[in-house]
Amino acid sequence: MIGTDESLRHEVANSMFDVSENCDSKTSSGVISNSGWGIFPRVYSNAVQLLGECNRPYILSASAVEFHLGACFDLLSSSPKPVQVDPDTCDLVGATLRDMRDISDLLRFLTLVRTNRTTRSTRMNAQSSRSHAALILYLRQMDSNSYCQTAFTLVDLAGAERPTKTKEKRFTGTDMIIWQLSKGGEVPIGAQAFIVNWELTMIATEIEKATESYKKQNRCYKQPRQLSTDAIQFLSSGFNGTALTAMCLCLSSANVNGWETWFSLQWGESVSKLAIPVRSQKPVNIHKALVLAEREATMAKRELEGAAKNRFYAKRAFRVDVAYKKISDLKHMLDSVTNADESTNSDELSSF
């Protein structure tokens, strides 16, 4: 979502995450009512209801990150914790992953997101978001031999900002370089706005590139690796046919926000051109995936131990982190399948 009128954008952002005060109330069917809830809580509630009707083990878990000043940070950490975006898969390496077992887990999750997201007072808003926030709900469905992972990602993009409205200094690309080289320290509001506006423009550009790749060359789109930011890389990963993507624009009808409304409409026209064939998910054998992940981890660790500490060392260390994270996820899934089977057998013995 891209905002124009900052106060209106703030209200729409709230509607995405809100859980109504009567979250503990039950309907006549015994299902928790989600009337008045925001998008993310409603998706979670509906997923739990549907999965409860299936006779298959599953894991629902969630992560939350923010993209601030070109970098990615964990929103579930008590202090700012950098998260790496895998350049190959765009997975969030280092992001906290929390199992979502009931509504209390969801409430704690949303509270942390709101508390930890970067905001700052401007002349337009007392709590202006200075980052893009991404909330990801992961679903892993399993049987004894295979699993399939899907995810619902809700992204609240920071609003386009005009320096003349906030009464801050306008920054250009050259100004940013000069400021970084000469001053450093806390990033001015005008510089933050420059980065946000540039990222929004680049996201629209990447959508046009992805669509053209399929229309003219029938080639798979690959997200940019250079002259990019974590936000652009992460969001671009949804433009390659692996995700169903929808976007909402928040517009202001006030005359004083004419430029912001024009910018948003131009942006919306660009992103509406996204037209890419969807690639369906296929089940993956858990045991084979675990053997492969352990082999990759062993190789990556061996390369790291024998590597010189040069400019490639961090990349090799990153590969080790990715491999061990995958192993941890797969073992977590296997444990869940085992526990589910034991629970089923126990129920059958009890009934017998």
Side-chain angles (χ1 to χ4, degrees):
M1 177 176 63
I2 178 175
T4 51
D5 176 21
E6 187 63 31
S7 59
L8 178 61
R9 197 204 66 78
H10 183 67
E11 291 302 319
V12 175
N14 281 345
S15 71
M16 288 181 153
F17 312 134
D18 274 349
V19 178
S20 59
E21 293 180 0
N22 63 338
C23 62
D24 291 328
S25 63
K26 304 266 186 180
T27 62
S28 57
S29 60
V31 178
I32 295 177
S33 172
N34 59 14
S35 176
W37 288 18
I39 296 173
F40 194 86
R42 192 177 293 251
V43 169
Y44 169 80
S45 174
N46 291 343
V48 170
Q49 182 178 346
L50 290 172
L51 291 167
E53 299 170 0
C54 300
N55 228 357
R56 178 185 297 177
Y58 69 88
I59 298 175
L60 264 179
S61 52
S63 290
V65 296
E66 69 171 350
F67 300 96
H68 181 53
L69 299 177
C72 182
F73 299 92
D74 191 354
L75 282 175
L76 301 183
S77 176
S78 56
S79 58
K81 173 187 169 186
V83 172
Q84 291 180 296
V85 179
D86 188 330
D88 296 318
T89 64
C90 288
D91 289 340
L92 300 171
V93 181
T96 302
L97 188 65
R98 296 202 172 189
D99 285 348
M100 309 295 283
R101 298 182 180 87
D102 52 40
I103 193 66
S104 62
D105 291 331
L106 174 66
L107 292 173
R108 284 191 291 269
F109 172 82
L110 295 175
T111 300
L112 279 174
V113 170
R114 286 192 168 192
T115 302
N116 294 336
R117 188 175 181 184
T118 301
T119 60
R120 184 170 173 178
S121 174
T122 69
R123 288 181 174 85
M124 292 181 67
N125 197 323
Q127 284 189 319
S128 174
S129 58
R130 314 310 297 169
S131 67
H132 314 298
L135 281 67
I136 309 104
L137 184 66
Y138 296 99
L139 169 61
R140 298 178 179 93
Q141 298 182 78
M142 300 154 288
D143 56 30
S144 57
N145 294 311
S146 62
Y147 76 96
C148 187
Q149 175 174 301
T150 52
F152 171 78
T153 303
L154 178 64
V155 182
D156 176 33
L157 297 177
E161 196 168 274
R162 199 174 185 181
T164 53
K165 292 287 181 63
T166 58
K167 305 300 181 184
E168 300 290 340
K169 180 183 182 300
R170 179 185 295 274
F171 274 70
T172 64
T174 304
D175 292 333
M176 285 293 297
I177 294 173
I178 294 173
W179 176 81
Q180 285 183 322
L181 292 175
S182 61
K183 295 182 179 179
E186 186 177 357
V187 182
I189 293 178
Q192 296 177 26
F194 170 84
I195 294 173
V196 167
N197 292 346
W198 178 75
E199 286 179 328
L200 294 175
T201 302
M202 289 302 298
I203 289 167
T205 300
E206 291 305 316
I207 286 178
E208 291 176 349
K209 287 181 181 178
T211 304
E212 290 301 313
S213 293
Y214 279 97
K215 281 186 177 180
K216 293 186 177 180
Q217 304 172 8
N218 197 28
R219 292 170 55 186
C220 182
Y221 164 79
K222 293 183 179 180
Q223 58 268 23
R225 295 198 178 202
Q226 298 178 338
L227 298 176
S228 182
T229 65
D230 286 347
I232 296 171
Q233 286 193 347
F234 177 76
L235 293 173
S236 297
S237 66
F239 307 154
N240 59 6
T242 58
L244 296 172
T245 305
M247 299 189 186
C248 301
L249 289 176
C250 179
L251 301 175
S252 170
S253 58
N255 291 335
V256 294
N257 294 324
W259 178 88
E260 289 87 347
T261 300
W262 173 86
F263 180 87
S264 296
L265 290 172
Q266 293 293 313
W267 194 87
E269 184 179 6
S270 297
V271 302
S272 67
K273 296 175 182 177
L274 181 63
I276 298 170
V278 177
R279 292 184 281 168
S280 59
Q281 286 275 17
K282 295 180 180 180
V284 178
N285 185 284
I286 300 180
H287 303 284
K288 289 182 179 179
L290 183 57
V291 170
L292 182 59
E294 289 175 340
R295 188 182 305 160
E296 290 175 352
T298 301
M299 291 177 60
K301 189 176 180 180
R302 189 180 302 149
E303 288 181 6
L304 181 65
E305 290 172 349
K309 292 193 175 182
N310 53 22
R311 61 192 179 99
F312 299 108
Y313 187 83
K315 187 175 182 180
R316 291 191 175 97
F318 179 72
R319 282 187 58 203
V320 174
D321 291 341
V322 171
Y324 279 101
K325 177 181 181 296
K326 191 171 184 179
I327 292 172
S328 176
D329 290 344
L330 289 168
K331 287 184 176 179
H332 184 36
M333 283 188 276
L334 277 173
D335 289 342
S336 297
V337 172
T338 303
N339 293 337
D341 290 341
E342 290 176 353
S343 176
T344 302
N345 293 335
S346 175
D347 290 342
E348 290 176 351
L349 287 172
S350 297
S351 61
F352 178 77

